[in-house]
Amino acid sequence: MSSDQQIKVLSFNCWGLKYVAKDRIERIRALADFLSTSDYDIIALQELWVQADFQAIRNAVLKSLSYSKYFYSGALGSGLALFSRFPITGSSITPYHLNGSPLDVAGGDFFVGKCLTSIIVEHPALGEVEVYNTHMYARGGETGHESMRSHRIVGALQVAKCFRASARQGRYIIAAGDFNSTPTSLTLDIIRDHGGATDTFASSHDSSLFPAEGVENPQHAIRSFGVTCDSPLNSYSAGKPLDEVATKWQGKRLDYVFIRDAIPRNTNSDPSPTLICTRSEVVLTGRVPGRNFSYSDHFGLEAVLNIRLPSSQSTLESTAKLPPELLHNGFASSGAPSIRSITTAITALSAAYRQARKVSNLQLGGFVGCVVSAAALIVGSAWQPRSALNPLLVLVGVVLGWGGGTLLYAGFIFGNYETNMLVNAIEELEMLRSQRD
């Protein structure tokens, strides 16, 4: 068990989809066994969709992590859970404004209500610490125009605002989860810069940015660059078609642990303790004991955080010695995104707004087409001499009614909601840009 001067954190995407995820029951059982003998102070799990799986893990870690919280969101649940050694004094859930389209049934993000969750714990040395857990919107990939990732960009703005609000309330921040974004993405730029957050893996390695020429060795990609997903060493990724990003760099780094220090409420008060990441590494990379499959389609991410007391000058000295690429990752964050990042985000969201308007109009046109077709069917059936065709006509009418209602909802209700959320985000970014000019 860690001392009160150290906090050990684990973030892990469990891939716990009921009926869909392969070998789920055995993998969750093995994960519970692993965690029961671990010495983590905080565990953040994603895609823990089944309540029984949460209970199994909760029972396994109860002796060491007495406090836990399972979060409910959307129609199918958030799949997010937090376990803590420290007492929980509060919790919150912030649904992302945009989570994909209701017509994207296969993606499912809209229905699970992806969100940013948090618990407030009472730490003996730091006081209040807000521990966040999230699983961000998945669609959009890493290549192509940024507008494809507009929903994730809007979510990143929400994350950054929550971080800033927590810090202003005098709380330290530990944020873990599957952010579905690579280190150089605009999403991560916003979270690091606007949210003032430190990427713990980057801060504890010489460089976590992938080399331009790619990575040949998957072990090196995991060890040095923090690959947690789509690795050839993962049994669920091996042999499956991978996109160009995963192929070039032997996987993707999508899972993170961020930290941020509290902002003292009284500027005249004594210096506060500082959180420093001394070690971060990818874990749970092997096979489930006795089986030939991995613990999940992701690997886990572990971070060891040391608490530097204000009486020590080592915090200032160690920060001053950091190379420029690590200062970018949050140690000396200005708490404001660059003009370039803001402009790129505005351009992406503006393009997404135009596309959303176009899609909404097409869907409303489809609704009108369904109504006209249904009316023609009703009128035409009166002159239809063959009664045997009536069941077929009824079926066609039902399909047209269902399709028309769905398109009306998607085009009018969701279409207007999506564009309104995009406008809000664009205006917020424009205000930030005007402050930076």
Side-chain angles (χ1 to χ4, degrees), residues 295-309:
Y295 283 88
S296 174
D297 59 350
H298 282 238
F299 297 143
L301 182 66
E302 175 184 296
V304 178
L305 313 176
N306 275 13
I307 299 170
R308 300 288 176 86
L309 299 177

Side-chain angles (χ1 to χ4, degrees), residues 25-332:
I25 295 175
E26 291 177 274
R27 289 189 293 101
I28 294 296
R29 187 181 299 123
L31 176 63
D33 290 341
F34 169 80
L35 296 177
S36 68
T37 58
S38 68
D39 61 347
Y40 294 110
D41 299 296
I42 292 171
I43 298 174
L45 300 181
Q46 304 89 43
E47 291 201 23
L48 194 65
W49 302 105
V50 181
Q51 179 74 23
D53 293 344
F54 166 73
Q55 292 296 341
I57 293 176
R58 181 174 179 268
N59 292 337
V61 302
L62 192 58
K63 289 183 179 179
S64 57
L65 304 176
S66 304
Y67 309 95
S68 61
K69 174 65 178 173
Y70 188 74
F71 295 90
Y72 299 89
S73 178
L76 302 176
S78 69
L80 301 175
L82 283 163
F83 303 84
S84 170
R85 179 166 71 94
F86 313 107
I88 296 175
T89 60
S91 66
S92 69
I93 181 167
T94 304
Y96 290 124
H97 294 321
L98 295 174
N99 270 319
S101 168
L103 297 184
D104 183 14
V105 177
D109 289 28
F110 179 87
F111 301 99
V112 302
K114 286 192 171 178
C115 53
L116 177 69
T117 64
S118 74
I119 56 174
I120 300 170
V121 301
E122 192 65 34
H123 188 274
L126 298 175
E128 283 194 342
V129 179
E130 189 147 13
V131 182
Y132 287 94
N133 187 17
T134 190
H135 186 191
M136 297 192 76
Y137 177 63
R139 298 288 195 191
E142 292 78 34
T143 58
H145 196 270
E146 284 290 352
S147 61
M148 298 167 60
R149 292 170 286 282
S150 59
H151 288 203
R152 208 149 60 226
I153 293 170
V154 174
L157 281 171
Q158 290 183 259
V159 172
K161 286 193 292 184
C162 286
F163 287 1
R164 293 165 68 91
S166 294
R168 283 196 297 267
Q169 293 178 60
R171 296 171 184 161
Y172 289 81
I173 294 168
I174 299 172
D178 177 358
F179 289 78
N180 271 315
S181 304
T182 54
T184 56
S185 66
L186 180 58
T187 300
L188 266 291
D189 280 345
I190 292 171
I191 291 172
R192 282 190 301 255
D193 297 338
H194 190 36
T198 298
D199 176 353
T200 56
F201 189 88
S203 69
S204 58
H205 291 72
D206 291 338
S207 176
S208 64
L209 300 180
F210 291 96
E213 64 273 13
V215 179
E216 294 184 3
N217 187 323
Q219 290 86 357
H220 181 54
I222 293 171
R223 183 175 60 255
S224 300
F225 303 109
V227 160
T228 57
C229 184
D230 288 343
S231 169
L233 300 182
N234 189 297
S235 66
Y236 299 107
S237 301
K240 81 172 188 179
L242 301 176
D243 62 29
E244 59 181 295
V245 174
T247 301
K248 183 176 182 180
W249 288 303
Q250 300 290 322
K252 300 176 184 178
R253 181 155 89 96
L254 303 180
D255 302 87
Y256 300 83
V257 175
F258 293 103
I259 56 175
R260 176 172 175 167
D261 288 333
I263 298 175
R265 296 184 181 181
N266 184 358
T267 56
N268 297 322
S269 62
D270 294 333
S272 302
T274 302
L275 271 178
I276 299 291
C277 180
T278 55
R279 179 171 60 84
S280 181
E281 62 180 344
V282 179
V283 296
L284 291 167
T285 58
R287 300 292 194 262
V288 168
R291 305 309 299 264
N292 64 348
F293 48 79
S294 301
Y295 283 88
S296 174
D297 59 350
H298 282 238
F299 297 143
L301 182 66
E302 175 184 296
V304 178
L305 313 176
N306 275 13
I307 299 170
R308 300 288 176 86
L309 299 177
S311 58
S312 172
Q313 294 299 315
S314 57
T315 299
L316 295 175
E317 292 171 2
S318 61
T319 303
K321 294 177 181 178
L322 286 172
E325 66 269 19
L326 296 191
L327 292 178
H328 168 74
N329 284 298
F331 270 90

Side-chain angles (χ1 to χ4, degrees), residues 1 5 70 106 156 186 204 208 368 412 426:
M1 185 64 63
Q5 301 305 312
Y70 188 74
L186 180 58
S204 58
S208 64
V368 172
F412 180 72
I426 291 169

